[in-house]
Amino acid sequence: MATEHSKSAARFMIAPSVLLLMAWMVIPLGMTLWFSFQRYNLLMPGMETFAGWDNYYYFLTDPAFTAALFNTLFLVVGVLVITVVGGVLLALLLDQDFWGQGVVRILTIAPFFVMPTVSALVWKNMFMNPVNGLFAHLFKALGLQPFDFLSQAPLMSIIVIVSWAWLPFATLILLTAMQSLDSEQIEAAEMDGAGYLSRFFYIVVPHLSRAATVVILIETIFLLSVFAEILVTTNGGPGYASTNLTYLIYAQSLLQYDVGMGAAGGVVAIILANIVAFFLMRMIGKNLDA
C-alpha cells in the first residue's frame, strides 16, 4: 500500500512538467497541421480560407521538391561518409602515443563547438572566396584558374563545410570506442601472423560498428535539418542546386510568404524524418543485439 501511495504521489508531482512538455510539443505541431490545410499568405492576414489537400499537392508536385529531396539525401549521405571514414582514420591517429597528443585532440574536437553560422562565414570568406580566399591563392600559386566553389559546386561545398563541423563528433565517439578495445586481441592476432590491414578489418572495424551506428543515427537526425550553412553561403542556389527540404520550407514560408504551403512542407519533412528515424532505430537495435 505504501509503495502504491508513493508511486501515485510521484506521478502527481511529475504530471505538471509532463503536461507542459507535451503541450510544448503538441501545440506547435497542431498549429502546423492546421496551417497546412489553409490558404494563408502573410501579405494578406485575416483572409485565410480552407485549402484542403491543395497545399500538399502543390508542394509535392513542385519541381523544387524533387530537387530539394535529392539534395537532402545527397547531403546526408555525403556528410556521413566523410565523417565516419574520416572519424575512423582520425581515431586511429589519435589513439597512438605521440608528443602533444592532448593538444592535438583538443584542436581536433574544437570545430564541433563553432556555431554553424560562424563556420559557414569562415569557409565562405576565408577559404572558398574565388578572389581573396585561401584556395584561390593556392590555385594561383600552382598556375591554375581559381575555382568558385559556391557557384560551381555549391552542394559539395556545403557538404565539406558541414562535414568539417561534424567530423570532431564522429572522431570523439569512435576514439572512445577504440580505446575500449582489448589490446590483448590485437597482440594475439599479431602473434598469429595477422597483418595490419587484417587486424584492422577483422578486429577494429567490427568493434567500432556499434559506435559508428550511433554516430550515423545522431548525425542523420541533425543533418536532415541543415539550414544555417545554406542560408549563409548559397541561399539555396544557384537555382535549386543547394536547396534542401529545410531551406525550401523556409523559402516557401518566409520568402514567398505562403505559410500554408510551407506548413504542408513541414509536415512532409516530419513524416520523412520519422520514416528515416524508424529504419535507423531498427538498424541500431539489430546492431546492439548482435
Side-chain angles (χ1 to χ4, degrees), residues 24 39 44 59 90 92 100 123 127 135 142 155 157 214 225 266:
W24 179 60
R39 191 172 288 107
M44 297 181 291
F59 184 82
L90 277 175
L92 285 171
W123 276 91
F127 290 97
F135 294 148
L142 296 174
L155 190 58
S157 300
V214 173
S225 58

Side-chain angles (χ1 to χ4, degrees), residues 51-130:
W53 296 96
D54 288 352
N55 289 326
Y56 290 93
Y57 173 78
Y58 291 128
F59 184 82
L60 292 173
T61 56
D62 188 347
F65 170 73
T66 305
L69 182 61
F70 171 79
N71 291 339
T72 302
L73 296 175
F74 191 76
L75 173 65
V76 171
V77 173
V79 174
L80 286 177
V81 170
I82 293 174
T83 54
V84 173
V85 175
V88 171
L89 296 177
L90 277 175
L92 285 171
L93 176 64
L94 297 176
D95 193 41
Q96 309 299 317
D97 292 326
F98 56 88
W99 184 83
Q101 184 184 55
V103 176
V104 173
R105 287 183 178 180
I106 293 174
L107 291 175
T108 304
I109 297 170
F112 186 65
F113 300 101
V114 180
M115 293 176 61
T117 307
V118 176
S119 64
L121 283 172
V122 170
W123 276 91
K124 177 183 179 180
N125 297 314
M126 297 182 64
F127 290 97
M128 295 181 175
N129 188 293

Side-chain angles (χ1 to χ4, degrees), residues 59 63-81 155-156 158-159 162 219-227 230 236 240-249 265 268-270 272-274 276:
F59 184 82
F65 170 73
T66 305
L69 182 61
F70 171 79
N71 291 339
T72 302
L73 296 175
F74 191 76
L75 173 65
V76 171
V77 173
V79 174
L80 286 177
V81 170
L155 190 58
M156 285 304 302
I158 292 171
I159 288 174
V162 177
E219 284 194 13
T220 301
I221 294 172
F222 285 94
L223 294 175
L224 288 171
S225 58
V226 169
F227 174 74
I230 298 175
Y240 297 113
S242 59
T243 297
N244 65 348
L245 282 177
T246 305
Y247 190 86
L248 180 62
I249 294 167
V268 171
I270 290 172
L272 292 176
N274 277 277
V276 172

Side-chain angles (χ1 to χ4, degrees), residues 182-193 199 203:
D182 190 359
S183 60
E184 293 182 357
Q185 297 182 34
I186 302 292
E187 293 172 359
E190 189 175 0
M191 291 178 64
D192 289 339
R199 299 197 302 271
I203 298 178

Side-chain angles (χ1 to χ4, degrees), residues 123-124 128 148-154 157-158 161 233-234 237-238:
W123 276 91
K124 177 183 179 180
M128 295 181 175
D148 192 349
F149 291 91
L150 295 174
S151 294
Q152 297 176 263
S157 300
I158 292 171
I161 295 171
T233 55
T234 64

